[in-house]
Amino acid sequence: MLTEPLPTTLDARKAAARGVSVSGTIKALDLQRFRPLLAGDDGDIQVHLTFSRDEENRYLVNVAVAVDVMVTCQRCLEPMSTHIASENILAIVWTDEQAAHLPRHLDPLIVEEEACNLWDLAEDELILAMPPYSSHGTDECKQIETGFSAEPDERVEQVEKPNPFDVLAQLKPGNKH
């Protein structure tokens, strides 16, 4: 398990040209956009970045992130532990136009300056990897699920309501009232 902190920035172009790998950890509470999505501040994010070039001489970065964090169960609103992990290959580009010309299997990483912010990169991947709906298993959740029965409740009286389209039936030709 990594315990060394991840550097904040790195020149992505030079790292890709040299085939550099960078690994480290980030505290979940240090990521300002990711932190509000959590139910607690605990969690050391493991980040592994491998920079390289492909056969078409594009700069690439393989991003792998993993963390165990506390999130809120959307059913009972209690904290629950979850594992978030993601691995993605990004092509390093400098403009939106370059990003538009990438093949479909590559996602763009737009780097406008020489130095790429590695913490922002890891944070983006974590946010994208978050489950859309977090909940305990049905046997673990404190919220009792209620089922719907197919039969109407006998205690509710069925009230006969007039059909609002009866007025239209009277206006129909051949209908004499």
Side-chain angles (χ1 to χ4, degrees), residues 34 38 44-48 62-71 81-89 121-132 134:
F34 181 62
L38 306 177
D44 288 335
I45 303 157
Q46 305 292 317
V47 182
H48 183 73
N62 184 330
V63 183
V65 293
V67 65
D68 289 316
V69 290
M70 296 297 285
V71 295
S81 177
T82 191
H83 179 76
I84 301 170
S86 174
E87 187 167 348
N88 201 1
I89 298 175
L121 175 57
E123 186 173 30
D124 289 345
E125 288 299 313
L126 284 169
I127 291 170
L128 290 171
M130 285 286 293
S134 300

PDB file of all heavy atoms in Angstrom, residues 34 38 44-48 62-71 81-89 121-132 134:
ATOM      1  N   PHE A  34     -14.466  16.617  -4.396  1.00  0.00           N
ATOM      2  CA  PHE A  34     -14.827  15.242  -4.059  1.00  0.00           C
ATOM      3  C   PHE A  34     -15.352  15.137  -2.626  1.00  0.00           C
ATOM      4  O   PHE A  34     -16.264  14.371  -2.339  1.00  0.00           O
ATOM      5  CB  PHE A  34     -13.591  14.348  -4.245  1.00  0.00           C
ATOM      6  CG  PHE A  34     -13.817  12.895  -3.964  1.00  0.00           C
ATOM      7  CD1 PHE A  34     -14.722  12.152  -4.712  1.00  0.00           C
ATOM      8  CD2 PHE A  34     -13.108  12.240  -2.971  1.00  0.00           C
ATOM      9  CE1 PHE A  34     -14.919  10.807  -4.466  1.00  0.00           C
ATOM     10  CE2 PHE A  34     -13.302  10.898  -2.721  1.00  0.00           C
ATOM     11  CZ  PHE A  34     -14.204  10.179  -3.468  1.00  0.00           C
ATOM     12  N   LEU A  38     -18.946  12.894   0.139  1.00  0.00           N
ATOM     13  CA  LEU A  38     -18.674  11.860   1.141  1.00  0.00           C
ATOM     14  C   LEU A  38     -19.406  12.129   2.447  1.00  0.00           C
ATOM     15  O   LEU A  38     -19.764  13.254   2.756  1.00  0.00           O
ATOM     16  CB  LEU A  38     -17.164  11.787   1.407  1.00  0.00           C
ATOM     17  CG  LEU A  38     -16.273  11.585   0.176  1.00  0.00           C
ATOM     18  CD1 LEU A  38     -14.817  11.608   0.588  1.00  0.00           C
ATOM     19  CD2 LEU A  38     -16.629  10.292  -0.531  1.00  0.00           C
ATOM     20  N   ASP A  44      -7.679   7.344   2.226  1.00  0.00           N
ATOM     21  CA  ASP A  44      -6.461   7.655   1.492  1.00  0.00           C
ATOM     22  C   ASP A  44      -6.631   7.138   0.074  1.00  0.00           C
ATOM     23  O   ASP A  44      -6.795   5.938  -0.146  1.00  0.00           O
ATOM     24  CB  ASP A  44      -5.238   7.009   2.146  1.00  0.00           C
ATOM     25  CG  ASP A  44      -4.850   7.685   3.448  1.00  0.00           C
ATOM     26  OD1 ASP A  44      -5.170   8.873   3.617  1.00  0.00           O
ATOM     27  OD2 ASP A  44      -4.211   7.027   4.290  1.00  0.00           O
ATOM     28  N   ILE A  45      -6.588   8.034  -0.873  1.00  0.00           N
ATOM     29  CA  ILE A  45      -6.783   7.692  -2.274  1.00  0.00           C
ATOM     30  C   ILE A  45      -5.460   7.205  -2.841  1.00  0.00           C
ATOM     31  O   ILE A  45      -4.451   7.912  -2.768  1.00  0.00           O
ATOM     32  CB  ILE A  45      -7.293   8.912  -3.064  1.00  0.00           C
ATOM     33  CG1 ILE A  45      -8.596   9.417  -2.429  1.00  0.00           C
ATOM     34  CG2 ILE A  45      -7.469   8.579  -4.527  1.00  0.00           C
ATOM     35  CD1 ILE A  45      -8.910  10.843  -2.725  1.00  0.00           C
ATOM     36  N   GLN A  46      -5.478   5.998  -3.385  1.00  0.00           N
ATOM     37  CA  GLN A  46      -4.299   5.431  -4.035  1.00  0.00           C
ATOM     38  C   GLN A  46      -4.348   5.827  -5.506  1.00  0.00           C
ATOM     39  O   GLN A  46      -5.328   5.545  -6.190  1.00  0.00           O
ATOM     40  CB  GLN A  46      -4.301   3.902  -3.912  1.00  0.00           C
ATOM     41  CG  GLN A  46      -4.417   3.394  -2.490  1.00  0.00           C
ATOM     42  CD  GLN A  46      -3.190   3.714  -1.666  1.00  0.00           C
ATOM     43  OE1 GLN A  46      -2.060   3.575  -2.130  1.00  0.00           O
ATOM     44  NE2 GLN A  46      -3.408   4.157  -0.444  1.00  0.00           N
ATOM     45  N   VAL A  47      -3.298   6.479  -5.982  1.00  0.00           N
ATOM     46  CA  VAL A  47      -3.254   6.954  -7.364  1.00  0.00           C
ATOM     47  C   VAL A  47      -2.011   6.386  -8.037  1.00  0.00           C
ATOM     48  O   VAL A  47      -0.913   6.437  -7.475  1.00  0.00           O
ATOM     49  CB  VAL A  47      -3.211   8.504  -7.428  1.00  0.00           C
ATOM     50  CG1 VAL A  47      -3.218   8.991  -8.867  1.00  0.00           C
ATOM     51  CG2 VAL A  47      -4.356   9.112  -6.638  1.00  0.00           C
ATOM     52  N   HIS A  48      -2.197   5.843  -9.243  1.00  0.00           N
ATOM     53  CA  HIS A  48      -1.074   5.356 -10.042  1.00  0.00           C
ATOM     54  C   HIS A  48      -1.246   5.899 -11.456  1.00  0.00           C
ATOM     55  O   HIS A  48      -2.269   5.662 -12.095  1.00  0.00           O
ATOM     56  CB  HIS A  48      -1.024   3.822 -10.053  1.00  0.00           C
ATOM     57  CG  HIS A  48       0.152   3.288 -10.789  1.00  0.00           C
ATOM     58  ND1 HIS A  48       1.423   3.360 -10.283  1.00  0.00           N
ATOM     59  CD2 HIS A  48       0.267   2.711 -12.002  1.00  0.00           C
ATOM     60  CE1 HIS A  48       2.264   2.832 -11.146  1.00  0.00           C
ATOM     61  NE2 HIS A  48       1.582   2.427 -12.212  1.00  0.00           N
ATOM     62  N   ASN A  62      -2.241   6.642 -18.325  1.00  0.00           N
ATOM     63  CA  ASN A  62      -3.129   5.624 -17.758  1.00  0.00           C
ATOM     64  C   ASN A  62      -3.338   6.011 -16.297  1.00  0.00           C
ATOM     65  O   ASN A  62      -2.377   6.044 -15.524  1.00  0.00           O
ATOM     66  CB  ASN A  62      -2.499   4.236 -17.880  1.00  0.00           C
ATOM     67  CG  ASN A  62      -3.430   3.144 -17.403  1.00  0.00           C
ATOM     68  OD1 ASN A  62      -4.256   3.369 -16.532  1.00  0.00           O
ATOM     69  ND2 ASN A  62      -3.281   1.973 -17.955  1.00  0.00           N
ATOM     70  N   VAL A  63      -4.570   6.304 -15.937  1.00  0.00           N
ATOM     71  CA  VAL A  63      -4.911   6.773 -14.590  1.00  0.00           C
ATOM     72  C   VAL A  63      -5.636   5.654 -13.846  1.00  0.00           C
ATOM     73  O   VAL A  63      -6.656   5.162 -14.316  1.00  0.00           O
ATOM     74  CB  VAL A  63      -5.840   8.005 -14.649  1.00  0.00           C
ATOM     75  CG1 VAL A  63      -6.127   8.525 -13.256  1.00  0.00           C
ATOM     76  CG2 VAL A  63      -5.263   9.081 -15.524  1.00  0.00           C
ATOM     77  N   ALA A  64      -5.115   5.264 -12.696  1.00  0.00           N
ATOM     78  CA  ALA A  64      -5.777   4.274 -11.849  1.00  0.00           C
ATOM     79  C   ALA A  64      -5.922   4.881 -10.454  1.00  0.00           C
ATOM     80  O   ALA A  64      -4.935   5.310  -9.857  1.00  0.00           O
ATOM     81  CB  ALA A  64      -4.976   2.985 -11.789  1.00  0.00           C
ATOM     82  N   VAL A  65      -7.161   4.938  -9.963  1.00  0.00           N
ATOM     83  CA  VAL A  65      -7.434   5.471  -8.626  1.00  0.00           C
ATOM     84  C   VAL A  65      -8.282   4.470  -7.857  1.00  0.00           C
ATOM     85  O   VAL A  65      -9.104   3.766  -8.441  1.00  0.00           O
ATOM     86  CB  VAL A  65      -8.150   6.842  -8.671  1.00  0.00           C
ATOM     87  CG1 VAL A  65      -7.256   7.908  -9.237  1.00  0.00           C
ATOM     88  CG2 VAL A  65      -9.434   6.773  -9.456  1.00  0.00           C
ATOM     89  N   ALA A  66      -8.070   4.403  -6.547  1.00  0.00           N
ATOM     90  CA  ALA A  66      -8.864   3.524  -5.691  1.00  0.00           C
ATOM     91  C   ALA A  66      -8.892   4.102  -4.284  1.00  0.00           C
ATOM     92  O   ALA A  66      -7.893   4.653  -3.799  1.00  0.00           O
ATOM     93  CB  ALA A  66      -8.277   2.120  -5.666  1.00  0.00           C
ATOM     94  N   VAL A  67     -10.056   3.965  -3.619  1.00  0.00           N
ATOM     95  CA  VAL A  67     -10.203   4.468  -2.255  1.00  0.00           C
ATOM     96  C   VAL A  67     -11.395   3.788  -1.588  1.00  0.00           C
ATOM     97  O   VAL A  67     -12.367   3.433  -2.248  1.00  0.00           O
ATOM     98  CB  VAL A  67     -10.373   6.014  -2.235  1.00  0.00           C
ATOM     99  CG1 VAL A  67     -11.655   6.443  -2.906  1.00  0.00           C
ATOM    100  CG2 VAL A  67     -10.284   6.564  -0.822  1.00  0.00           C
ATOM    101  N   ASP A  68     -11.312   3.592  -0.287  1.00  0.00           N
ATOM    102  CA  ASP A  68     -12.442   3.158   0.533  1.00  0.00           C
ATOM    103  C   ASP A  68     -12.900   4.378   1.323  1.00  0.00           C
ATOM    104  O   ASP A  68     -12.108   4.965   2.068  1.00  0.00           O
ATOM    105  CB  ASP A  68     -12.029   2.034   1.490  1.00  0.00           C
ATOM    106  CG  ASP A  68     -11.765   0.737   0.759  1.00  0.00           C
ATOM    107  OD1 ASP A  68     -12.567   0.382  -0.120  1.00  0.00           O
ATOM    108  OD2 ASP A  68     -10.749   0.072   1.063  1.00  0.00           O
ATOM    109  N   VAL A  69     -14.160   4.776   1.125  1.00  0.00           N
ATOM    110  CA  VAL A  69     -14.695   5.984   1.762  1.00  0.00           C
ATOM    111  C   VAL A  69     -16.072   5.716   2.343  1.00  0.00           C
ATOM    112  O   VAL A  69     -16.703   4.701   2.058  1.00  0.00           O
ATOM    113  CB  VAL A  69     -14.787   7.166   0.762  1.00  0.00           C
ATOM    114  CG1 VAL A  69     -13.423   7.676   0.385  1.00  0.00           C
ATOM    115  CG2 VAL A  69     -15.591   6.785  -0.457  1.00  0.00           C
ATOM    116  N   MET A  70     -16.537   6.671   3.131  1.00  0.00           N
ATOM    117  CA  MET A  70     -17.889   6.627   3.681  1.00  0.00           C
ATOM    118  C   MET A  70     -18.769   7.554   2.838  1.00  0.00           C
ATOM    119  O   MET A  70     -18.420   8.704   2.590  1.00  0.00           O
ATOM    120  CB  MET A  70     -17.901   7.099   5.134  1.00  0.00           C
ATOM    121  CG  MET A  70     -17.108   6.222   6.080  1.00  0.00           C
ATOM    122  SD  MET A  70     -17.746   4.556   6.196  1.00  0.00           S
ATOM    123  CE  MET A  70     -19.175   4.823   7.205  1.00  0.00           C
ATOM    124  N   VAL A  71     -19.908   7.009   2.384  1.00  0.00           N
ATOM    125  CA  VAL A  71     -20.901   7.787   1.644  1.00  0.00           C
ATOM    126  C   VAL A  71     -22.235   7.660   2.369  1.00  0.00           C
ATOM    127  O   VAL A  71     -22.361   6.888   3.313  1.00  0.00           O
ATOM    128  CB  VAL A  71     -21.029   7.315   0.176  1.00  0.00           C
ATOM    129  CG1 VAL A  71     -19.745   7.576  -0.595  1.00  0.00           C
ATOM    130  CG2 VAL A  71     -21.423   5.865   0.094  1.00  0.00           C
ATOM    131  N   SER A  81     -19.880   2.330   4.116  1.00  0.00           N
ATOM    132  CA  SER A  81     -18.570   2.221   3.492  1.00  0.00           C
ATOM    133  C   SER A  81     -18.724   1.728   2.057  1.00  0.00           C
ATOM    134  O   SER A  81     -19.560   0.877   1.772  1.00  0.00           O
ATOM    135  CB  SER A  81     -17.719   1.239   4.298  1.00  0.00           C
ATOM    136  OG  SER A  81     -16.472   1.075   3.675  1.00  0.00           O
ATOM    137  N   THR A  82     -17.920   2.283   1.171  1.00  0.00           N
ATOM    138  CA  THR A  82     -17.932   1.836  -0.225  1.00  0.00           C
ATOM    139  C   THR A  82     -16.525   1.937  -0.795  1.00  0.00           C
ATOM    140  O   THR A  82     -15.710   2.730  -0.325  1.00  0.00           O
ATOM    141  CB  THR A  82     -18.928   2.639  -1.085  1.00  0.00           C
ATOM    142  OG1 THR A  82     -19.077   1.995  -2.345  1.00  0.00           O
ATOM    143  CG2 THR A  82     -18.472   4.057  -1.309  1.00  0.00           C
ATOM    144  N   HIS A  83     -16.256   1.102  -1.789  1.00  0.00           N
ATOM    145  CA  HIS A  83     -14.972   1.109  -2.476  1.00  0.00           C
ATOM    146  C   HIS A  83     -15.177   1.747  -3.839  1.00  0.00           C
ATOM    147  O   HIS A  83     -16.073   1.356  -4.583  1.00  0.00           O
ATOM    148  CB  HIS A  83     -14.440  -0.330  -2.627  1.00  0.00           C
ATOM    149  CG  HIS A  83     -13.132  -0.396  -3.345  1.00  0.00           C
ATOM    150  ND1 HIS A  83     -11.952  -0.050  -2.738  1.00  0.00           N
ATOM    151  CD2 HIS A  83     -12.824  -0.742  -4.625  1.00  0.00           C
ATOM    152  CE1 HIS A  83     -10.969  -0.195  -3.610  1.00  0.00           C
ATOM    153  NE2 HIS A  83     -11.467  -0.616  -4.763  1.00  0.00           N
ATOM    154  N   ILE A  84     -14.379   2.740  -4.148  1.00  0.00           N
ATOM    155  CA  ILE A  84     -14.452   3.405  -5.444  1.00  0.00           C
ATOM    156  C   ILE A  84     -13.128   3.165  -6.150  1.00  0.00           C
ATOM    157  O   ILE A  84     -12.064   3.411  -5.578  1.00  0.00           O
ATOM    158  CB  ILE A  84     -14.696   4.923  -5.281  1.00  0.00           C
ATOM    159  CG1 ILE A  84     -15.999   5.161  -4.536  1.00  0.00           C
ATOM    160  CG2 ILE A  84     -14.706   5.620  -6.634  1.00  0.00           C
ATOM    161  CD1 ILE A  84     -16.201   6.598  -4.119  1.00  0.00           C
ATOM    162  N   ALA A  85     -13.202   2.672  -7.373  1.00  0.00           N
ATOM    163  CA  ALA A  85     -11.997   2.428  -8.163  1.00  0.00           C
ATOM    164  C   ALA A  85     -12.284   2.749  -9.616  1.00  0.00           C
ATOM    165  O   ALA A  85     -13.396   2.574 -10.100  1.00  0.00           O
ATOM    166  CB  ALA A  85     -11.557   0.982  -8.011  1.00  0.00           C
ATOM    167  N   SER A  86     -11.261   3.222 -10.300  1.00  0.00           N
ATOM    168  CA  SER A  86     -11.399   3.554 -11.711  1.00  0.00           C
ATOM    169  C   SER A  86     -10.055   3.424 -12.389  1.00  0.00           C
ATOM    170  O   SER A  86      -9.013   3.696 -11.781  1.00  0.00           O
ATOM    171  CB  SER A  86     -11.919   4.989 -11.868  1.00  0.00           C
ATOM    172  OG  SER A  86     -11.923   5.373 -13.216  1.00  0.00           O
ATOM    173  N   GLU A  87     -10.094   3.001 -13.635  1.00  0.00           N
ATOM    174  CA  GLU A  87      -8.890   2.980 -14.463  1.00  0.00           C
ATOM    175  C   GLU A  87      -9.293   3.484 -15.839  1.00  0.00           C
ATOM    176  O   GLU A  87     -10.301   3.059 -16.393  1.00  0.00           O
ATOM    177  CB  GLU A  87      -8.294   1.586 -14.553  1.00  0.00           C
ATOM    178  CG  GLU A  87      -6.966   1.578 -15.255  1.00  0.00           C
ATOM    179  CD  GLU A  87      -6.198   0.282 -15.090  1.00  0.00           C
ATOM    180  OE1 GLU A  87      -6.580  -0.539 -14.241  1.00  0.00           O
ATOM    181  OE2 GLU A  87      -5.220   0.111 -15.825  1.00  0.00           O
ATOM    182  N   ASN A  88      -8.503   4.405 -16.370  1.00  0.00           N
ATOM    183  CA  ASN A  88      -8.854   5.040 -17.637  1.00  0.00           C
ATOM    184  C   ASN A  88      -7.577   5.449 -18.364  1.00  0.00           C
ATOM    185  O   ASN A  88      -6.581   5.800 -17.732  1.00  0.00           O
ATOM    186  CB  ASN A  88      -9.724   6.270 -17.360  1.00  0.00           C
ATOM    187  CG  ASN A  88     -10.536   6.688 -18.542  1.00  0.00           C
ATOM    188  OD1 ASN A  88     -10.502   6.075 -19.606  1.00  0.00           O
ATOM    189  ND2 ASN A  88     -11.279   7.767 -18.377  1.00  0.00           N
ATOM    190  N   ILE A  89      -7.626   5.420 -19.696  1.00  0.00           N
ATOM    191  CA  ILE A  89      -6.506   5.891 -20.511  1.00  0.00           C
ATOM    192  C   ILE A  89      -6.946   7.198 -21.161  1.00  0.00           C
ATOM    193  O   ILE A  89      -7.976   7.254 -21.835  1.00  0.00           O
ATOM    194  CB  ILE A  89      -6.105   4.865 -21.583  1.00  0.00           C
ATOM    195  CG1 ILE A  89      -5.630   3.572 -20.925  1.00  0.00           C
ATOM    196  CG2 ILE A  89      -5.014   5.437 -22.483  1.00  0.00           C
ATOM    197  CD1 ILE A  89      -5.323   2.459 -21.895  1.00  0.00           C
ATOM    198  N   LEU A 121      -6.635  15.749 -11.728  1.00  0.00           N
ATOM    199  CA  LEU A 121      -6.845  14.589 -12.590  1.00  0.00           C
ATOM    200  C   LEU A 121      -7.407  13.417 -11.792  1.00  0.00           C
ATOM    201  O   LEU A 121      -8.398  12.798 -12.184  1.00  0.00           O
ATOM    202  CB  LEU A 121      -5.524  14.205 -13.264  1.00  0.00           C
ATOM    203  CG  LEU A 121      -5.499  12.954 -14.121  1.00  0.00           C
ATOM    204  CD1 LEU A 121      -6.522  13.019 -15.232  1.00  0.00           C
ATOM    205  CD2 LEU A 121      -4.098  12.743 -14.675  1.00  0.00           C
ATOM    206  N   ALA A 122      -6.810  13.132 -10.647  1.00  0.00           N
ATOM    207  CA  ALA A 122      -7.291  12.041  -9.790  1.00  0.00           C
ATOM    208  C   ALA A 122      -8.693  12.343  -9.265  1.00  0.00           C
ATOM    209  O   ALA A 122      -9.557  11.455  -9.221  1.00  0.00           O
ATOM    210  CB  ALA A 122      -6.324  11.823  -8.630  1.00  0.00           C
ATOM    211  N   GLU A 123      -8.940  13.595  -8.895  1.00  0.00           N
ATOM    212  CA  GLU A 123     -10.256  13.992  -8.377  1.00  0.00           C
ATOM    213  C   GLU A 123     -11.331  13.828  -9.444  1.00  0.00           C
ATOM    214  O   GLU A 123     -12.424  13.322  -9.166  1.00  0.00           O
ATOM    215  CB  GLU A 123     -10.200  15.436  -7.891  1.00  0.00           C
ATOM    216  CG  GLU A 123     -11.467  15.899  -7.218  1.00  0.00           C
ATOM    217  CD  GLU A 123     -11.309  17.280  -6.595  1.00  0.00           C
ATOM    218  OE1 GLU A 123     -10.521  18.099  -7.098  1.00  0.00           O
ATOM    219  OE2 GLU A 123     -11.992  17.539  -5.591  1.00  0.00           O
ATOM    220  N   ASP A 124     -11.037  14.223 -10.681  1.00  0.00           N
ATOM    221  CA  ASP A 124     -11.998  14.056 -11.775  1.00  0.00           C
ATOM    222  C   ASP A 124     -12.356  12.585 -11.964  1.00  0.00           C
ATOM    223  O   ASP A 124     -13.527  12.234 -12.128  1.00  0.00           O
ATOM    224  CB  ASP A 124     -11.428  14.607 -13.085  1.00  0.00           C
ATOM    225  CG  ASP A 124     -11.338  16.123 -13.104  1.00  0.00           C
ATOM    226  OD1 ASP A 124     -11.962  16.779 -12.243  1.00  0.00           O
ATOM    227  OD2 ASP A 124     -10.619  16.654 -13.978  1.00  0.00           O
ATOM    228  N   GLU A 125     -11.363  11.718 -11.946  1.00  0.00           N
ATOM    229  CA  GLU A 125     -11.607  10.284 -12.136  1.00  0.00           C
ATOM    230  C   GLU A 125     -12.453   9.714 -10.992  1.00  0.00           C
ATOM    231  O   GLU A 125     -13.323   8.882 -11.213  1.00  0.00           O
ATOM    232  CB  GLU A 125     -10.290   9.520 -12.262  1.00  0.00           C
ATOM    233  CG  GLU A 125      -9.573   9.770 -13.562  1.00  0.00           C
ATOM    234  CD  GLU A 125     -10.372   9.353 -14.789  1.00  0.00           C
ATOM    235  OE1 GLU A 125     -10.926   8.234 -14.793  1.00  0.00           O
ATOM    236  OE2 GLU A 125     -10.445  10.146 -15.734  1.00  0.00           O
ATOM    237  N   LEU A 126     -12.202  10.163  -9.762  1.00  0.00           N
ATOM    238  CA  LEU A 126     -12.989   9.692  -8.618  1.00  0.00           C
ATOM    239  C   LEU A 126     -14.443  10.141  -8.711  1.00  0.00           C
ATOM    240  O   LEU A 126     -15.359   9.355  -8.450  1.00  0.00           O
ATOM    241  CB  LEU A 126     -12.385  10.194  -7.306  1.00  0.00           C
ATOM    242  CG  LEU A 126     -11.132   9.470  -6.847  1.00  0.00           C
ATOM    243  CD1 LEU A 126     -10.490  10.230  -5.697  1.00  0.00           C
ATOM    244  CD2 LEU A 126     -11.453   8.045  -6.450  1.00  0.00           C
ATOM    245  N   ILE A 127     -14.657  11.385  -9.095  1.00  0.00           N
ATOM    246  CA  ILE A 127     -16.023  11.898  -9.212  1.00  0.00           C
ATOM    247  C   ILE A 127     -16.783  11.117 -10.281  1.00  0.00           C
ATOM    248  O   ILE A 127     -17.942  10.751 -10.096  1.00  0.00           O
ATOM    249  CB  ILE A 127     -16.017  13.410  -9.502  1.00  0.00           C
ATOM    250  CG1 ILE A 127     -15.523  14.170  -8.262  1.00  0.00           C
ATOM    251  CG2 ILE A 127     -17.398  13.903  -9.911  1.00  0.00           C
ATOM    252  CD1 ILE A 127     -15.238  15.642  -8.488  1.00  0.00           C
ATOM    253  N   LEU A 128     -16.114  10.831 -11.393  1.00  0.00           N
ATOM    254  CA  LEU A 128     -16.759  10.061 -12.460  1.00  0.00           C
ATOM    255  C   LEU A 128     -17.026   8.611 -12.049  1.00  0.00           C
ATOM    256  O   LEU A 128     -17.953   7.982 -12.539  1.00  0.00           O
ATOM    257  CB  LEU A 128     -15.898  10.092 -13.722  1.00  0.00           C
ATOM    258  CG  LEU A 128     -15.837  11.439 -14.430  1.00  0.00           C
ATOM    259  CD1 LEU A 128     -14.779  11.412 -15.527  1.00  0.00           C
ATOM    260  CD2 LEU A 128     -17.187  11.812 -14.996  1.00  0.00           C
ATOM    261  N   ALA A 129     -16.216   8.079 -11.134  1.00  0.00           N
ATOM    262  CA  ALA A 129     -16.365   6.686 -10.701  1.00  0.00           C
ATOM    263  C   ALA A 129     -17.386   6.522  -9.574  1.00  0.00           C
ATOM    264  O   ALA A 129     -17.753   5.393  -9.236  1.00  0.00           O
ATOM    265  CB  ALA A 129     -15.015   6.133 -10.251  1.00  0.00           C
ATOM    266  N   MET A 130     -17.845   7.628  -9.002  1.00  0.00           N
ATOM    267  CA  MET A 130     -18.827   7.544  -7.908  1.00  0.00           C
ATOM    268  C   MET A 130     -20.089   6.847  -8.399  1.00  0.00           C
ATOM    269  O   MET A 130     -20.560   7.126  -9.498  1.00  0.00           O
ATOM    270  CB  MET A 130     -19.212   8.941  -7.408  1.00  0.00           C
ATOM    271  CG  MET A 130     -18.187   9.632  -6.570  1.00  0.00           C
ATOM    272  SD  MET A 130     -18.040   8.985  -4.895  1.00  0.00           S
ATOM    273  CE  MET A 130     -19.592   9.439  -4.181  1.00  0.00           C
ATOM    274  N   PRO A 131     -20.643   5.948  -7.586  1.00  0.00           N
ATOM    275  CA  PRO A 131     -21.907   5.327  -7.994  1.00  0.00           C
ATOM    276  C   PRO A 131     -23.013   6.384  -8.006  1.00  0.00           C
ATOM    277  O   PRO A 131     -23.030   7.283  -7.158  1.00  0.00           O
ATOM    278  CB  PRO A 131     -22.162   4.273  -6.916  1.00  0.00           C
ATOM    279  CG  PRO A 131     -21.331   4.684  -5.753  1.00  0.00           C
ATOM    280  CD  PRO A 131     -20.175   5.464  -6.300  1.00  0.00           C
ATOM    281  N   PRO A 132     -23.940   6.287  -8.955  1.00  0.00           N
ATOM    282  CA  PRO A 132     -25.006   7.296  -9.018  1.00  0.00           C
ATOM    283  C   PRO A 132     -25.965   7.212  -7.836  1.00  0.00           C
ATOM    284  O   PRO A 132     -26.617   8.178  -7.492  1.00  0.00           O
ATOM    285  CB  PRO A 132     -25.730   6.978 -10.327  1.00  0.00           C
ATOM    286  CG  PRO A 132     -25.383   5.572 -10.635  1.00  0.00           C
ATOM    287  CD  PRO A 132     -24.048   5.308 -10.018  1.00  0.00           C
ATOM    288  N   SER A 134     -25.999   5.326  -3.946  1.00  0.00           N
ATOM    289  CA  SER A 134     -25.380   4.473  -2.928  1.00  0.00           C
ATOM    290  C   SER A 134     -26.440   3.986  -1.963  1.00  0.00           C
ATOM    291  O   SER A 134     -27.240   4.772  -1.467  1.00  0.00           O
ATOM    292  CB  SER A 134     -24.320   5.256  -2.151  1.00  0.00           C
ATOM    293  OG  SER A 134     -23.323   5.717  -3.023  1.00  0.00           O
TER     294      SER A 134
END
